[in-house]
Amino acid sequence: MAQASAPSGLRFHSQIDYAGTMKISSHAVARMLGAWQAGPGPAHQRLSDRLRLLVLDGRLPLGAALPSERDLATALGTSRTTVGAAYRTLVEHGYLATRARARATVRLPHATPSERPAGTESATINLSFAAPPAPVEILHAAYAAALEQLPRYFERHGYDRYGTAELREAVADWYRRRGLPTAPDHIMITSGAQHALGLLARTLLSPRDKVLIDHPTYPHAIRTFAEARARLLPVAVGTCGWDTAQLQAAGRAAQLAYLIPDFHNPTGMCMSASVRRRLRLACPTIIDETMTDLALDGARPEPCAVHMPTAVSVGSVSKSIWGGLRTGWIRATPSLLERVEQARPATDLGTPVVEQLATAVLLNGRQTERPDALQHLRSHRDALTEALAEYLPDVHAPRPAGGVTLWGMFPEPVSSRLAAIAPDYGVTIAAGPRFGVGGAFERHIRLPYTLPSSQLTEAIRRLAQARLALTQGATGTHTPAPVA
Ligand SMILES: Cc1ncc(COP(=O)(O)O)c(C=O)c1O
């Protein structure tokens, strides 16, 4: 059964001082460190190793000022000598800079060209992006049709914060086909689902508000809410999915909820029909439908808003067509959209018209629901599962019902270290803790199956080599790859 984790909420404690330096509090560092004391070797070594991984995967940002030795020692319940020794090791290896009477700040060692172990010389395979390549001909035809329609817009100013009439109607129709009556004035077009989330966070959140999130969840959503200075209320998406009672309890304590019920990123799980029917949270709820069209083992799920009319939905064509279109949307009441429209100029003044016209052509032609694209994803998912069985047989990876990713679990907490060394073996991955808060998911990695099968197999072979090197005492120094 799923469990709510950290019900008291989590917040990213940081302050910016007059010189523009971000100061990270000792409690924030302690939370990120999680269970650092477990494991072999002296305590100062374990502490410096964990801090180094937090720098490498971006959770301790470059230039940020760490707490004083004394404050961190108190927060960790350890001695100042341990923290002092850990900090000195980080300074020696180039991960911290110190100045007299100032806090140590995060930096990276000067890059040294890495020498790849023999047999891994070919180009790096990127497993940190979970996004398919474009369907070339289909996209080309959609842009050609869009360019023909474009002159109709030339007489107008071109700034439209709600989006073009064509695309608002096409998105409304996408919902109607899924059984949810929707008019174009319930739709605002955005530059992708990420932009939609940012606009909603800006409109709906005040500092210190609590946001219920799936745990794990999509990393850029965590970042969006953290930057709105919200506190996060993570509710576990366990091996059996979502737990209605836990969601409802957390929903009573939160000001906003953000859920990915359709082929959740990163687990690929789909919320069951019975949970959907009972999902009425006490707080405003954002439903992320970015993956909805990628149902691999059955029909597309029913929109949550069918049962929860107050739900605010966000979506895009980034996973069903191509991320480079940068087109997405918000489905909400006209009154909420009006508030978003008023907040929007602080970040942008509208989405490019050509991309909107092309997206309307694609949606009207039902190109986001292409059986051949789904078939490709199914066979890539099989290839990835087979490669795991061959090269990493102790990694447990439940079969996702849709979407583009597997959520693999190692027997040991190896994820951040693996992400830091994997590029030396010709593969980049997104470490599990990037999908959670408080240092969770050190046993997990997200594995997308959007690349061709042969590359997936080779990537897993390389990952197995990297893991072997770790068990033999090697360490990696690579900074985190961008994720999507
Ligand atoms: C769950 C989820 N929501 C939103 C996004 C952002 O999508 P877009 O490219 O439309 O901004 C992604 C991208 O990976 C995602 O996985």
Side-chain angles (χ1 to χ4, degrees):
M1 178 180 286
Q3 288 183 348
S5 38
S8 58
L10 289 161
R11 196 151 76 90
F12 290 69
H13 285 272
S14 60
Q15 286 177 344
I16 310 283
D17 69 10
Y18 294 116
T21 306
M22 178 189 279
K23 290 185 169 174
I24 315 251
S25 78
S26 54
H27 295 290
V29 176
R31 268 201 307 272
M32 288 185 235
L33 284 167
W36 66 276
Q37 282 178 321
H44 67 85
Q45 187 65 54
R46 287 198 301 274
L47 183 57
S48 69
D49 278 352
R50 291 293 287 218
L51 287 167
R52 182 176 58 87
L53 291 171
L54 290 176
V55 174
L56 287 174
D57 81 3
R59 279 175 285 165
L60 285 176
L62 291 185
L66 290 192
S68 69
E69 292 174 10
R70 194 183 51 201
D71 285 355
L72 187 57
T74 309
L76 295 178
T78 188
S79 72
R80 197 172 156 181
T81 324
T82 300
V83 177
Y87 275 16
R88 276 194 299 283
T89 307
L90 292 168
V91 171
E92 268 165 38
H93 290 94
Y95 291 93
L96 276 188
T98 46
R99 274 181 300 128
R101 287 187 298 282
R103 289 182 180 208
T105 51
V106 174
R107 61 178 294 251
L108 280 174
H110 296 298
T112 44
S114 74
E115 282 197 8
R116 271 212 200 141
T120 60
E121 294 83 1
S122 52
T124 297
I125 302 175
N126 188 339
L127 286 189
S128 53
F129 269 81
V136 179
E137 284 173 21
I138 290 167
L139 200 56
H140 198 269
Y143 268 99
L147 283 176
E148 275 183 22
Q149 296 171 28
L150 186 62
R152 287 212 304 270
Y153 281 81
F154 287 164
E155 282 179 7
R156 309 225 299 264
H157 51 62
Y159 292 95
D160 190 342
R161 295 185 217 159
Y162 281 101
T164 64
E166 286 89 343
L167 185 52
R168 293 175 81 195
E169 168 54 26
V171 174
D173 191 48
W174 183 76
Y175 281 104
R176 291 195 296 264
R177 292 203 302 269
R178 295 174 55 221
L180 184 62
T182 304
D185 65 351
H186 285 81
I187 304 294
M188 173 183 276
I189 304 305
T190 61
S191 301
Q194 176 62 24
H195 179 223
L197 273 183
L199 288 171
L200 287 168
R202 181 179 280 269
T203 309
L204 296 172
L205 288 175
S206 303
R208 297 190 55 76
D209 276 355
K210 290 187 188 146
V211 181
L212 184 172
I213 53 165
D214 297 325
H215 204 220
T217 192
Y218 164 57
H220 295 318
I222 295 182
R223 186 136 183 207
T224 301
F225 299 133
E227 283 190 4
R229 302 180 65 79
R231 292 175 289 171
L232 298 174
L233 266 182
V235 176
V237 178
T239 43
C240 301
W242 288 258
D243 181 272
T244 322
Q246 298 287 351
L247 286 172
Q248 279 166 345
R252 282 192 286 278
Q255 278 71 44
L256 182 69
Y258 166 72
L259 306 175
I260 316 170
D262 301 352
F263 317 122
H264 174 256
N265 182 0
T267 65
M269 295 193 26
C270 187
M271 186 183 276
S272 70
S274 65
V275 175
R276 270 168 211 264
R277 276 197 292 276
R278 286 175 288 139
L279 187 71
R280 293 225 179 143
L281 304 185
C283 60
T285 304
I286 300 176
I287 299 290
D288 188 327
E289 299 183 317
T290 306
M291 307 283 178
T292 298
D293 280 327
L294 303 180
L296 298 184
D297 295 333
R300 279 186 304 182
E302 198 177 28
C304 284
V306 166
H307 302 289
M308 189 175 26
T310 55
V312 177
S313 310
V314 303
S316 88
V317 293
S318 292
K319 308 294 164 163
S320 54
I321 301 277
W322 188 45
L325 271 162
R326 304 306 314 130
T327 336
W329 56 82
I330 303 172
R331 180 190 181 278
T333 57
S335 60
L336 175 58
L337 291 184
E338 203 177 311
R339 288 172 59 201
V340 176
E341 190 249 358
Q342 277 159 20
R344 189 165 178 169
T347 52
D348 79 311
L349 299 173
T351 300
V353 175
V354 184
E355 273 66 21
Q356 292 189 64
L357 294 174
T359 305
V361 170
L362 293 161
L363 281 172
N364 290 334
R366 310 212 175 172
Q367 299 291 6
T368 62
E369 307 154 42
R370 298 185 320 283
D372 62 327
L374 297 182
Q375 193 45 43
H376 274 122
L377 281 175
R378 281 186 207 105
S379 72
H380 296 178
R381 181 182 60 178
D382 288 347
L384 182 56
T385 311
E386 281 160 25
L388 284 170
E390 180 171 356
Y391 296 110
L392 291 169
D394 58 352
V395 170
H396 176 63
R399 183 184 168 89
V404 291
T405 56
L406 288 178
W407 186 232
M409 188 170 89
F410 285 83
E412 71 278 10
V414 73
S415 188
S416 300
R417 287 187 295 137
L418 195 56
I421 199 173
D424 286 337
Y425 291 81
V427 58
T428 56
I429 55 162
R434 299 184 76 176
F435 299 83
V437 292
F441 308 120
E442 241 338 319
R443 286 173 198 274
H444 288 83
I445 56 169
R446 184 188 71 172
L447 295 171
Y449 43 86
T450 44
L451 293 174
S453 299
S454 58
Q455 282 194 42
L456 291 172
T457 308
E458 174 59 14
I460 300 302
R461 191 186 69 77
R462 293 179 185 184
L463 208 54
Q465 284 186 330
R467 190 228 203 153
L468 181 66
L470 276 185
T471 57
Q472 292 167 347
T475 51
T477 55
H478 289 270
T479 48
V483 290

